[in-house]
Amino acid sequence: PDEPKPKQLEVTVADLGWFQGDWQNTDEGSLSQEVWTRPQGDCLLGMWRWVDAQGASRVFELLSICQDETGPTLRLRHFDRRMKAREEREAPIVLALVHAAENRVTFQGKEGELTVRLTYSREGSQLIARLEKTDQPAQEYRFQRVAP
């Protein structure tokens, strides 16, 4: 028997233009920065980095949200300062869109054995990312828009 296809949400990558911009948090002297391009074609791209209070780059993250059969899908990979990937060589973390509302989206998938939920929302000039993983406390990141 054919497996049922996941229900497609009524949202496309083109609806995610509110992600676009340079978003930063400089609490405690460190820099947490997330930059998103505007949607072009069937994808938008993002970059996140963390620079510690002493000015050393610690982690980079490359993200894409591309239109797949069932809707937008977020893929991401982490790298150290020498661009060595943390995840498996050919396996980014893949999170499918599971909820969408105005200026709010939630992606969910697996990272190894853990279930991962990543929710982005926009409140005025703030981009908020909430990361939830199985059996771990949720983490919330608040970014201020510094450039369109």
Side-chain angles (χ1 to χ4, degrees), residues 9-20:
L9 297 174
E10 297 296 322
V11 66
T12 67
V13 167
D15 298 317
L16 303 179
W18 55 269
F19 269 76
Q20 180 182 344

Side-chain angles (χ1 to χ4, degrees), residues 77 85-92:
R77 299 211 51 184
R86 287 187 176 180
E87 289 80 27
E88 291 181 36
R89 185 175 177 168
E90 299 298 325

Side-chain angles (χ1 to χ4, degrees), residues 14-138:
D15 298 317
L16 303 179
W18 55 269
F19 269 76
Q20 180 182 344
D22 184 345
W23 307 89
Q24 297 183 14
N25 180 314
T26 55
D27 289 349
E28 300 176 23
S30 64
L31 170 68
S32 179
Q33 178 184 30
E34 193 152 327
V35 178
W36 285 94
T37 65
R38 69 184 169 99
Q40 282 286 64
D42 62 352
C43 291
L44 64 151
L45 294 176
M47 175 281 303
W48 173 80
R49 67 177 173 160
W50 177 57
V51 179
D52 70 20
Q54 289 71 44
S57 296
R58 295 295 188 182
V59 181
F60 305 122
E61 185 177 80
L62 183 61
L63 307 98
S64 68
I65 302 175
C66 293
Q67 191 69 36
D68 287 344
E69 282 183 10
T70 58
T73 300
L74 187 145
R75 290 174 177 85
L76 63 95
R77 299 211 51 184
H78 297 92
F79 300 90
D80 68 15
R81 60 184 289 122
R82 291 180 172 70
M83 297 303 288
K84 182 178 176 189
R86 287 187 176 180
E87 289 80 27
E88 291 181 36
R89 185 175 177 168
E90 299 298 325
I93 298 169
V94 179
L95 307 175
L97 183 70
V98 295
H99 177 76
E102 185 176 353
N103 292 335
R104 183 182 185 87
V105 290
T106 300
F107 296 92
Q108 183 171 308
K110 290 284 191 179
E111 181 182 2
E113 297 297 313
L114 300 177
T115 297
V116 176
R117 284 178 70 87
L118 180 57
T119 300
Y120 280 99
S121 58
R122 173 129 182 229
E123 296 176 8
S125 63
Q126 282 196 334
L127 182 69
I128 302 160
R130 181 178 172 83
L131 177 63
E132 301 170 86
K133 293 183 180 184
T134 308
D135 298 329
Q136 296 180 16

